[in-house]
Amino acid sequence: MLRKDKKALFSILFLIFVSFELYSQVFEVKNIIHIQSLSNKDVMFKQFCFDVEHNYMLLSQPLQKKEDIVSSILFYQYEATENDTFFALASRFNVGQETLATINHISNPTENIAGKKLIVPNCKALYLSESPVSAFEILLKKKCGTTEPVARFSINGEVFEFYPDYQIGMTERTFFLDSSYKMPLAKTVLTSSFGMRISPISGKPLFHRGIDLASPEGSEVYSCASGCVTRVGYDNVYGNYIEIKHSDSRRSFYAHLSKVLVSRDQFVKSSSIIGYVGVTGLTTGPHLHFEILEGNKNIDPLSVVSE
């Protein structure tokens, strides 16, 4: 009986040791295999397809066998053509949309990928960067929480955490697929456009970085798209404001709010209520000041927002 107990204890300690080694070690990917075309005539693509099927079989094994998966993972590269779409490639590679999206920082399926050199692992999983880029990646990172990845891979100097067991839920999938922008108010009148104007406060020419949408005080303000709240606060000019980062890395900005209903780092769905129209800050009447930013550059919200 004692021998059996010692043997069981040894097995448990061995598994813990192996798991710790996998969690703490970063595997540097030095060789990336190039796929020229998505045809069975392409030897590398044919090998890739074989690898994918083999790894699906390994994924079906008990948890103790997960270390076998790590040793069988290879990374391929394929340059997308003008005719390639995200959905078509995810289907052709058969590794899941989340695999292709996370390891290549693809923020939404409508993103232009022509000419992009895509990294394609031969195993379906989440590959989350230790420095997530898009709101979609940030959401997945938060969902994984304190769960340790099965392994970490360093690709071109960037470390990706490997989660083969994570299943994308409806919320995350909807978040990824929702790439359209909507008006942040149900009923409104455009009172000031994007660009140069005479400031209603100073009476001097001034560049207006967004648009002003008049609406009764207390009107509901909606998120123009799904995203992560990055800033909430008060400013002497903008009053109560909210900034949201979206899946395509654009940011939306809402100002002069009477009340804010969201908090920093909160994820919001498209058209969810985030606050109410107010007259806080420097304003001549109740309205919503609304901006869209690409990087550090403001763009005309009406160029991306649909009614």
Side-chain angles (χ1 to χ4, degrees):
M1 184 70 178
L2 188 59
R3 284 185 180 178
K4 287 183 178 180
D5 290 343
K6 283 185 176 180
K7 187 175 181 181
L9 179 61
F10 177 78
S11 298
I12 292 170
L13 290 173
F14 177 75
L15 285 174
I16 292 173
F17 174 75
V18 170
S19 298
F20 177 78
E21 284 295 302
L22 286 171
Y23 294 155
S24 61
Q25 185 177 357
V26 175
F27 297 92
E28 185 175 357
V29 179
K30 296 182 178 180
N31 298 313
I32 297 178
I33 306 165
H34 293 265
I35 295 174
Q36 299 298 325
S37 67
L38 305 184
S39 165
N40 286 332
K41 293 181 180 179
D42 187 309
V43 176
M44 293 298 99
F45 180 65
K46 193 172 182 179
Q47 180 62 47
F48 170 83
C49 294
F50 176 83
D51 291 347
V52 169
E53 292 300 321
H54 175 70
N55 284 334
Y56 269 120
M57 181 186 69
L58 289 179
L59 284 173
S60 67
Q61 301 300 312
L63 185 63
Q64 295 93 315
K65 294 292 184 181
K66 287 292 160 56
E67 60 267 22
D68 294 338
I69 297 175
V70 175
S71 62
S72 70
I73 292 178
L74 294 173
F75 294 87
Y76 292 73
Q77 187 178 79
Y78 172 74
E79 184 171 342
T81 69
E82 290 287 345
N83 297 322
D84 288 324
T85 65
F86 172 80
F87 289 122
L89 289 180
S91 176
R92 194 77 176 96
F93 287 125
N94 192 29
V95 289
Q97 296 173 14
E98 60 271 28
T99 300
L100 204 59
T102 54
I103 201 165
N104 291 291
H105 300 305
I106 296 175
S107 56
N108 65 77
T110 63
E111 185 177 313
N112 182 17
I113 58 174
K116 186 169 184 175
K117 294 180 179 178
L118 301 172
I119 300 296
V120 190
N122 62 3
C123 183
K124 180 180 179 179
L126 289 186
Y127 295 82
L128 294 178
S129 173
E130 289 189 339
S131 302
V133 176
S134 70
F136 178 57
E137 294 171 61
I138 295 171
L139 171 61
L140 293 175
K141 191 90 170 176
K142 188 173 183 179
K143 286 285 186 179
C144 288
T146 57
T147 304
E148 279 288 347
V150 170
R152 293 178 173 87
F153 297 97
S154 176
I155 305 173
N156 298 325
E158 184 175 8
V159 176
F160 291 88
E161 296 176 341
F162 174 62
Y163 296 92
D165 293 316
Y166 188 89
Q167 298 296 319
I168 291 286
M170 186 58 68
T171 299
E172 296 97 314
R173 194 168 297 282
T174 301
F175 189 93
F176 177 66
L177 296 175
D178 182 13
S179 59
S180 62
Y181 283 74
K182 302 174 181 67
M183 287 294 285
L185 294 170
K187 294 182 180 180
T188 185
V189 175
L190 177 68
T191 56
S192 187
S193 301
F194 177 82
M196 290 301 299
R197 68 168 185 173
I198 300 298
S199 170
I201 303 296
S202 66
K204 298 179 180 179
L206 188 70
F207 187 84
H208 193 220
R209 296 187 294 184
I211 58 175
D212 288 343
L213 301 170
S215 192
E217 187 172 359
S219 297
E220 294 175 338
V221 177
Y222 307 99
S223 172
C224 66
S226 300
C228 175
V229 178
T230 49
R231 285 196 299 155
V232 171
Y234 181 86
D235 181 89
N236 290 333
V237 175
Y238 290 114
N240 295 319
Y241 66 84
I242 300 169
E243 182 185 75
I244 300 174
K245 184 177 182 180
H246 304 287
S247 60
D248 58 3
S249 294
R250 285 175 176 156
R251 289 170 290 144
S252 57
F253 183 77
Y254 314 76
H256 305 308
L257 303 171
S258 63
K259 188 176 182 180
V260 171
L261 300 180
V262 294
S263 56
R264 185 177 176 181
D265 294 331
Q266 181 179 337
F267 285 88
V268 294
K269 294 181 180 180
S270 177
S271 299
S272 58
I273 303 172
I274 58 174
Y276 300 104
V277 170
V279 288
T280 57
L282 286 179
T283 175
T284 57
H287 74 279
L288 174 71
H289 174 77
F290 176 56
E291 299 180 14
I292 297 288
L293 299 94
E294 287 186 347
N296 294 320
K297 181 182 178 182
N298 287 81
I299 63 172
D300 187 352
L302 296 181
S303 68
V304 296
V305 172
S306 59
E307 296 293 338

